[in-house]
Amino acid sequence: MRVFFDVDDTIITWDVRLRPGVKEVFARLRADGHDLYLWSGNGRRWEIVRRFDLHEHVLDCFWKPLYRHHERLAELGVPFAPDYVIDDHQEVVDAFPGVRIAPPAHPLEQDRELWRVYEAIRAHAAGADADADG
Ligand SMILES: [Mg+2]
């Protein structure tokens, strides 16, 4: 699947720390055969790819539509619709298949959300309906 991750409060914290499990889960998803992309309402976040050395995992970065999500993909230069999205905002998860992620936990070291997301993606890819209630 083409899996699109939001950036702020999804893979990084408000103070720009990488959430626990991001690299491990990205590596597993790629090993499972998925293509990973970042998208953000704040633009193409290559600075995050660079800062956390995510180049080997992330194929491309896109602008994320914040409304009329499907209609605006072309306008924003997103060449295909995501098969699955991970986002801390419910509207995105309502617009596309996906799972809502809770904002980073405190203390950050105890944040296990990325692993829950991994299981949700795996279940969805297997054709099961993952629990997206979070
Ligand atoms: Mg976000």
Side-chain angles (χ1 to χ4, degrees):
M1 300 192 297
R2 289 163 170 156
V3 180
F4 283 38
F5 282 81
D6 172 53
V7 176
D8 296 302
D9 279 336
T10 295
I11 66 165
I12 63 170
T13 63
W14 66 274
D15 56 350
V16 198
R17 287 182 290 162
L18 196 67
R19 295 181 77 167
V22 169
K23 286 192 176 185
E24 295 88 341
V25 165
F26 279 13
R28 282 199 189 193
L29 289 171
R30 288 177 56 239
D32 293 344
H34 301 299
D35 294 333
L36 309 186
Y37 301 90
L38 300 187
W39 69 352
S40 168
N42 290 321
R44 305 176 75 197
R45 305 294 292 278
W46 286 112
E47 88 279 9
I48 298 300
V49 173
R50 277 193 299 272
R51 180 165 181 162
F52 297 108
D53 197 21
L54 300 174
H55 279 102
E56 68 174 305
H57 302 304
V58 174
L59 290 175
D60 210 346
C61 295
F62 302 120
W63 280 90
K64 182 179 74 177
L66 300 179
Y67 57 92
R68 292 192 292 112
H69 299 85
H70 289 268
E71 294 87 333
R72 298 192 64 235
L73 290 175
E75 169 189 338
L76 291 171
V78 184
F80 34 72
D83 295 314
Y84 202 83
V85 299
I86 299 89
D87 208 293
D88 61 301
H89 283 279
Q90 187 64 42
E91 340 43 295
V92 183
V93 175
D94 289 342
F96 303 100
V99 63
R100 187 176 186 174
I101 189 168
H106 300 283
L108 188 60
E109 296 68 33
Q110 290 175 18
D111 181 11
R112 305 302 296 162
E113 275 291 280
L114 265 298
W115 297 104
R116 188 181 64 80
V117 161
Y118 174 72
E119 292 304 330
I121 296 169
R122 219 167 59 118
H124 182 82
D129 207 354
D131 176 15
D133 296 338

